[in-house]
Amino acid sequence: MFRTRQSRRDWMRMTTSGLMAGSLCRWFPSLAGQALAADATKAKACILLWMTGGPSQLDTFDPKPDHENGGEFKPIDTSVPGIQICEHLPQVAQQMHHAAIIRSMSTKEGDHERATYLAHTGYLPQGPIRYPTIGSLFSKELTAPETELPGFVAIAPSFLSRRAFAPGFLGPQYSPLIVGDQRQAPNPNMGTDLGVRNIELPEGIGVPQADARLGLLDVLETGFQETRLASGVDSHRTAYQKAVKMMRSAAVGAFNLDEEPDTLRDSYGRNPFGDACLLARRLVERGVSFIEVSLNGAQGNTGIGWDSHQDNFNAVQQLCGVLDPAWSTLLTDLEQHGLLDSTLVLWMGDFGRTPDINDNTGRDHFPVAWSSVMCGAGIRGGQVVGKTSADGKEVEDRPVSMPDYLATVCLALGLDPEQQNMSNIGRPIRLADPKAMPITEIIG
């Protein structure tokens, strides 16, 4: 199995010895020159800003002001000459030198559950293989053994597809730690509880008594495991060990946002998404390698996040009002803490929205041509990849599939996309589909 990171000398040694021979995938030559470059290998963490419901590309990052499909919003200039985005993302516009916009995302799944699964795994939810979510997949490769917190934290996941957040064949030890459970339906304009549940000892129970109880549990489980071939026992014991390690770690203080200055919290926006983005920065500082932050709604938005079948323009404006300060402050905050060069920040949703505006002033599901954004580590900012037609209905240049996208993420994180994990059916599965064509031109 290939190592996660190699030096150029290692690369040449393996190539000449034949260990890398036989690969005929289309992106392999680019892998040699890009994934193992010095800048890419600095990446240590990834933050996914997940836009639940599928955001409208025409009303965010692919404006069409000269066409009737363009809608009500005006484009504005950004920090990069020639690149314009929606007027309701003015702070993000000033961060565009850090970002690469992909305007040619193209998939075939217009159903929320299937599209969410595809975006999180690179595969469709079919067949016997239980594919892991990218948070599990990448945190497995990036998380240092000494890290005291779980390698994958999901903040207020939408659960439009529960399987999209599962560790799949990697096993439960790579499951996400979920905080800010969206099922509690907090008010989107108020702060939310982002603490870890049941992290403190019960009232009246001290450390010696807790240790005695854990010791008894270990004895019981050891005896049970010795007489049964049950993999679930080992997973259960591992989960307990990790939980205890986290409970007794100073790193758990990451979840206490009150340690941050009021001015910074105000900049992020005192709402669940803003708080979650601040928490993401604090988790990266403490070694968490993958954090997913979901934007599930805004005040007055009664649908599923960005699922704007009705009253699209009011909904998108409200959501941008939450997204804009939080995302832009996150990039600034990461940079000021010396973390932006080692943290990849992704912005993406289920799919896009129809260029045609329906009778309810809304936009419906549209997977044919939509946008996503990459920022930070391993990314050459100030670029636009791909192009859609004047009416926004099709990709005219450089279509990007979900496997292409995830292969690009691998390279940006300094990971070898050909590295394999053994699946639940005994078949090795690569980190990225070997037929994928990563966007090598945006990799630093």
Side-chain angles (χ1 to χ4, degrees), residues 116-331:
T116 300
Y117 185 91
L118 174 63
H120 281 77
T121 66
Y123 298 91
L124 296 176
Q126 59 190 16
I129 300 178
R130 299 194 298 270
Y131 294 103
T133 186
I134 54 175
S136 300
L137 192 68
F138 294 142
S139 64
K140 175 181 179 293
E141 305 301 328
L142 295 171
T143 303
E146 65 273 14
T147 302
E148 295 177 315
L149 296 176
F152 175 21
V153 176
I155 307 175
S158 68
F159 291 117
L160 281 177
S161 173
R162 290 184 177 275
R163 289 181 296 175
F165 291 89
F169 57 66
L170 294 181
Q173 64 269 39
Y174 296 105
S175 295
L177 170 66
I178 296 176
V179 297
D181 194 336
Q182 181 63 16
R183 289 171 294 184
Q184 296 179 350
N187 185 329
N189 254 12
M190 297 179 62
T192 188
D193 181 12
L194 296 180
V196 182
R197 295 181 185 179
N198 305 318
I199 198 68
E200 298 178 353
L201 292 175
E203 186 177 354
I205 303 297
V207 173
Q209 189 174 2
D211 285 343
R213 291 181 175 185
L214 290 168
L216 178 59
L217 175 64
D218 186 65
V219 169
L220 293 173
E221 290 194 322
T222 298
F224 184 86
Q225 190 172 24
E226 287 175 349
T227 58
R228 293 166 177 83
L229 297 175
S231 60
V233 177
D234 188 55
S235 297
H236 185 264
R237 298 180 75 178
T238 300
Y240 257 87
Q241 291 166 2
K242 289 185 175 182
V244 172
K245 181 180 180 180
M246 180 172 62
M247 288 172 64
R248 298 179 179 178
S249 165
V252 77
F255 296 92
N256 181 14
L257 301 186
D258 290 337
E259 295 179 350
E260 298 290 341
D262 286 341
T263 53
L264 181 63
R265 297 197 64 181
D266 291 342
S267 295
Y268 272 99
R270 291 182 178 268
N271 53 63
F273 184 74
D275 285 348
C277 286
L278 173 55
L279 174 58
R281 189 269 291 166
R282 291 172 61 84
L283 292 173
V284 169
E285 282 185 297
R286 290 159 176 82
V288 177
S289 55
F290 196 99
I291 305 102
E292 179 160 349
V293 180
S294 298
L295 177 49
N296 300 304
Q299 185 180 30
N301 183 326
T302 58
I304 305 173
W306 299 79
D307 197 32
S308 53
H309 292 282
Q310 299 180 3
D311 199 17
N312 170 81
F313 300 102
N314 283 331
V316 171
Q317 183 173 349
Q318 291 162 2
L319 286 159
C320 285
V322 174
L323 171 67
D324 188 51
W327 186 3
S328 60
T329 302
L330 173 62
L331 295 178

Side-chain angles (χ1 to χ4, degrees), residues 5 35 37-47 95 97-99 142 281 284-285 289 330-345 374-381 409 411-414 442-444:
R5 295 185 175 94
D39 287 347
T41 59
K42 293 191 300 183
K44 297 179 181 178
C46 180
I47 299 173
Q95 298 281 357
H97 53 287
H98 290 307
L142 295 171
R281 189 269 291 166
V284 169
E285 282 185 297
S289 55
L330 173 62
L331 295 178
T332 299
D333 202 12
L334 287 169
E335 187 173 31
Q336 290 176 348
H337 282 80
L339 297 170
L340 188 58
D341 286 342
S342 60
T343 305
L344 180 66
V345 181
M374 294 186 178
C375 317
I379 298 300
R380 292 176 179 166
V409 173
L411 299 189
L413 292 173
I442 68 172
I443 305 298

Side-chain angles (χ1 to χ4, degrees), residues 46-52 54-62 89 92 99-103 105 273 277 293 295 306 316 319-320 322-324 327 331 344-352 370-375 402 405 409:
C46 180
I47 299 173
L48 170 59
L49 305 180
W50 179 255
M51 303 295 106
T52 303
S56 167
Q57 67 282 2
L58 279 73
D59 304 311
T60 52
F61 291 100
D62 192 10
L89 294 171
V92 170
I101 302 173
I102 305 168
R103 287 178 173 166
M105 297 293 298
F273 184 74
C277 286
V293 180
L295 177 49
W306 299 79
V316 171
L319 286 159
C320 285
V322 174
L323 171 67
D324 188 51
W327 186 3
L331 295 178
L344 180 66
V345 181
L346 310 174
W347 181 89
M348 181 173 60
D350 322 11
F351 35 59
W370 48 287
S371 299
S372 64
V373 182
M374 294 186 178
C375 317
M402 196 53 64
Y405 186 90
V409 173

